Amino acid sequence: MPFAADIGGTSIRVSMVDTRYDHYTLTEPIRFLTDPARGFNSAMDELAAGLKDLAIQNDIPLSSENIGVASAGPISMYDGTYDFSPNLPGWQGHSVSRALEEILGVAVYTAHDGAMGVLAESKYGQHPDTANLIYVTVSTGIGAGIIANGEIVAGRQSGAGEVGHMIVMPGRGSCNNGCDGCLEGVSSGTAIARRARALMENTQDGMLSNTPGPVTAADVVAAARAGDSLAISVIEDALEGLANGLSGLLAIFDPDVIVLGGGVIDGLGHWWDELLERTQHKALPRYKHVLPVSKTILGGDAPLIGAAVFASQQKEVYQA
């Protein structure tokens, strides 16, 4: 029953996941804020403490199991080192695996949360054992995991899956890495909130002007559902960016299915049919009748589950 962690741009969760059977069981996750500004070492200390608490709560020694970690990327699947970290500023060059192994004294295996998500989908999602599967997580940032012909696509530097940096709408916003018009800069939770705040500088009208504190993506979604014109325009941009990105992925990979997950996808549930219609309109003719795009049934737990699957696979390799 491996230990698993999920490091996002907003929060970190730790849990234990039983992946021995055709179904999984997940302990109630321990959650705390990521707060990247406090520094990598401080975050790793709290993550290690959370894993220790989890082991005590479940009366299972940490030394008995591998640890799998899913993280917002880009991050190396080989040693858990951040290449650059637009949503975890200041963490570039640090290795999650190395840091946790030094603190805990057990093997730690780290990969991009998109890659972990696609592992979870391939085992426990609606499309198990699918040979060509893409999982896209849309949250604080946007990333993907890709299985092609039954194999995880890692890339030369294990950097495959950074679909958030595909250019989809030039001039409509940029990500924290400065990519103008990229998918993450248009359709992520960060982008939705940022775009709304920028538009609000030119008007004091609308529901969002009464929001206490900085406007969040959740605020924008709520205002759009209530009919606020500014919020609706931001959501329409996000949908258009996603449709552009998804139609591109369909053209490039010809997958059996693309599965979408993450907090933003949950928030955009009201516009799900519109997203599919926009994507189908932009996609190649072969997708005009059947569009292979669906929402995850694993909720926000896909990266955690995938991290546990990944850790179990590594244990099997080294015990063989």
Side-chain angles (χ1 to χ4, degrees):
M1 193 169 179
F3 294 87
D6 178 19
I7 303 172
T10 303
S11 65
I12 297 174
R13 298 183 302 152
V14 296
S15 180
M16 294 192 71
V17 188
D18 192 340
T19 60
R20 293 173 296 176
Y21 309 108
D22 292 336
H23 61 279
Y24 69 91
T25 56
L26 181 80
T27 64
E28 182 65 29
I30 297 173
R31 183 191 302 264
F32 46 93
L33 294 177
T34 308
D35 188 15
R38 62 176 162 161
F40 174 81
N41 291 333
S42 176
M44 291 303 102
D45 286 340
E46 186 167 13
L47 174 50
L51 289 165
K52 290 177 181 178
D53 288 344
L54 193 64
I56 292 170
Q57 290 175 15
N58 291 276
D59 195 26
I60 298 177
L62 269 172
S63 58
S64 67
E65 297 288 349
N66 286 345
I67 298 172
V69 180
S71 177
I75 189 167
S76 171
M77 187 180 289
Y78 305 121
D79 62 5
T81 299
Y82 291 102
D83 177 11
F84 62 94
S85 47
N87 296 307
L88 297 168
W91 292 23
Q92 181 174 347
H94 291 284
S95 168
V96 173
S97 296
R98 191 176 304 119
L100 291 178
E101 286 173 352
E102 288 177 357
I103 298 171
L104 300 172
V106 296
V108 178
Y109 300 96
T110 306
H112 190 286
D113 52 6
M116 296 301 202
V118 82
L119 279 177
E121 289 294 336
S122 69
K123 186 168 184 178
Y124 297 113
Q126 283 183 302
H127 312 278
D129 302 318
T130 301
N132 296 281
L133 171 66
I134 300 175
Y135 170 79
V136 181
T137 176
V138 186
S139 190
T140 303
I142 298 178
I146 302 164
I147 292 176
N149 299 323
E151 299 289 338
I152 284 275
V153 177
R156 183 174 66 89
Q157 297 178 316
S158 71
E162 290 296 335
V163 301
H165 303 294
M166 298 190 305
I167 306 304
V168 294
M169 293 179 69
R172 266 296 192 266
S174 61
C175 66
N176 291 335
N177 197 47
C179 297
D180 175 50
C182 69
L183 182 57
E184 185 168 300
V186 175
S187 302
S188 68
T190 303
I192 289 171
R194 181 183 291 153
R195 177 72 173 162
R197 291 195 292 265
L199 292 175
M200 287 170 62
E201 292 178 359
N202 299 318
T203 179
Q204 296 300 313
D205 297 330
M207 299 177 185
L208 293 172
S209 61
N210 298 318
T211 303
V215 167
T216 67
D219 295 327
V220 179
V221 167
R225 292 197 63 172
D228 182 81
S229 59
L230 184 150
I232 289 172
S233 72
V234 174
I235 295 300
E236 287 181 345
D237 277 353
L239 294 172
E240 187 73 0
L242 283 169
N244 288 342
L246 291 171
S247 62
L249 290 175
L250 289 169
I252 294 167
F253 289 101
D254 187 24
D256 295 307
V257 65
I258 298 176
V259 180
L260 303 183
V264 171
I265 294 301
D266 292 339
L268 293 177
H270 180 74
W271 296 275
W272 177 252
D273 289 343
E274 181 179 347
L275 173 60
L276 296 183
E277 289 171 6
R278 287 177 183 244
T279 303
Q280 199 156 33
H281 178 72
K282 297 171 183 294
L284 290 170
R286 63 172 173 259
Y287 298 114
K288 294 305 180 186
H289 299 294
V290 178
L291 186 72
V293 177
S294 66
K295 282 192 283 190
T296 181
I297 62 171
L298 302 178
D301 293 328
L304 268 178
I305 297 165
V309 171
F310 190 53
S312 295
Q313 289 175 344
Q314 303 308 311
K315 189 172 185 178
E316 290 170 5
V317 167
Y318 288 106
Q319 285 183 343

